[in-house]
């Protein structure tokens, strides 16, 4: 799923038709995206069991929660219930962010047999060189940012939409990258992403995941 397609599917708004004047609404529901690889394809970096639970259980929960929140929001909007609309904002942010973040995350990964772990190339590699002195410098800074997350969250390599400058940012919980930043590469620091395999040794997970990072996906987003 491309970043542009993701934006139109994962962030689509409720669509009303003329029949809405009579109280009915047509709303397209979000669905769990298929993975382009088998659950066990990322082993040994990430176990097949973790991938299955992470995708089928956790991501599906965010999809379900987003659909439920959007349905309730549509009802509140139609009824003119502003208080209910405001009260639903946290659920929309959490479940919507969870769906967006994970949809990008699956694209960030690929088996070693398909280029997983290969270093970045082209213009993105040149920009990484100028900012962090090379790929190793980026990974060190990225892992430091991941280790600094208290509780649950994400670390992202982002591009400034105006200047094209790269930076690393962290987001708590399921807060998505929005505004003037374009997400290029994200790593999930929630315990459900690693604990079954790495337990409390999350630094090992942060080190191992680079073996299956799909830089081709990040390069496409960088050039978009």
């Amino acid at each position: 799923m491309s970043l542009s397609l993701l934006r139109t599917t994962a962030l689509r708004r409720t669509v009303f038709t003329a029949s809405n004047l009579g109280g009915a609404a047509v709303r397209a529901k979000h669905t769990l995206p298929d993975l382009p690889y088998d659950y066990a394809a990322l082993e040994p970096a990430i176990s097949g069991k973790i991938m299955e639970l992470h995708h089928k259980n956790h991501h599906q929960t965010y999809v379900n929660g987003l659909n439920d929140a959007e349905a309730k929001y549509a009802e509140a909007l139609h009824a003119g219930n502003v208080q209910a609309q405001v009260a639903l904002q946290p659920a929309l942010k959490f479940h919507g962010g969870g769906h967006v973040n994970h949809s990008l995350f699956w694209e960030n990964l690929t088996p070693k047999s398909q280029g997983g772990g290969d270093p970045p190339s082209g213009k993105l590699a040149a920009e990484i060189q100028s900012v962090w002195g090379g790929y190793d410098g980026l990974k060190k800074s990225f892992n430091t940012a991941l280790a600094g997350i208290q509780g649950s969250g994400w670390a992202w390599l982002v591009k400034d939409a105006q200047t094209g400058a790269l930076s690393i940012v962290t987001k708590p919980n399921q807060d998505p990258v929005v505004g003037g930043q374009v997400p290029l590469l994200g790593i999930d620091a929630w315990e459900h992403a690693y604990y079954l395999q790495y337990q409390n040794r999350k630094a090992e997970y942060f080190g191992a995941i680079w073996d299956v990072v799909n830089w081709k996906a990040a390069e496409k987003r960088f050039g978009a």
Side-chain angles (χ1 to χ4, degrees):
M1 183 184 295
S2 66
L3 183 57
S4 60
L5 180 59
L6 176 65
R7 285 171 173 162
T8 59
T9 55
L11 295 177
R12 67 168 70 90
R13 294 180 179 179
T14 301
V15 178
F16 290 92
T17 65
S19 63
N20 182 243
L21 297 175
V26 175
R27 186 179 65 86
K29 288 191 174 183
H30 306 281
T31 59
L32 184 70
D34 293 331
L35 296 186
Y37 41 78
D38 293 334
Y39 288 131
L42 304 182
E43 292 182 345
I46 306 176
S47 74
K49 187 61 176 178
I50 283 182
M51 288 296 298
E52 182 176 6
L53 290 172
H54 199 172
H55 179 251
K56 290 175 63 176
N57 291 33
H58 292 282
H59 191 172
Q60 184 67 65
T61 297
Y62 298 125
V63 171
N64 294 344
L66 177 57
N67 284 328
D68 180 66
E70 284 190 342
K72 292 177 179 177
Y73 187 86
E75 293 174 1
L77 187 65
H78 180 71
N81 188 337
V82 177
Q83 286 182 315
Q85 293 173 48
V86 173
L88 285 163
Q89 294 301 314
L92 288 167
K93 181 179 182 180
F94 180 74
H95 293 291
H99 181 35
V100 171
N101 291 341
H102 284 86
S103 296
L104 292 169
F105 182 58
W106 308 134
E107 287 188 351
N108 283 162
L109 307 175
T110 197
K112 290 179 69 67
S113 62
Q114 299 177 24
D118 289 352
S121 60
K123 294 181 179 179
L124 179 56
E127 187 66 19
I128 289 172
Q129 177 70 34
S130 69
V131 178
W132 290 281
Y135 186 35
D136 288 341
L138 167 69
K139 290 192 290 184
K140 181 178 180 181
S141 295
F142 209 109
N143 285 355
T144 297
L146 282 165
I149 294 173
Q150 296 182 350
S152 301
W154 294 73
W156 293 92
L157 174 66
V158 300
K159 178 183 76 170
D160 186 286
Q162 297 297 320
T163 67
L166 297 181
S167 61
I168 297 169
V169 300
T170 58
K171 297 289 183 179
N173 301 313
Q174 292 296 348
D175 289 8
V177 176
V178 295
Q181 295 177 326
V182 178
L184 304 181
L185 175 75
I187 294 181
D188 191 348
W190 279 65
E191 283 192 348
H192 65 233
Y194 65 86
Y195 199 85
L196 187 64
Q197 180 176 359
Y198 292 96
Q199 298 178 341
N200 65 331
R201 306 184 311 277
K202 63 181 180 180
E204 292 184 24
Y205 160 68
F206 297 153
I209 197 171
W210 295 102
D211 290 338
V212 289
V213 164
N214 181 11
W215 279 104
K216 294 302 180 185
E219 289 166 11
K220 288 181 180 178
R221 295 172 191 163
F222 181 69

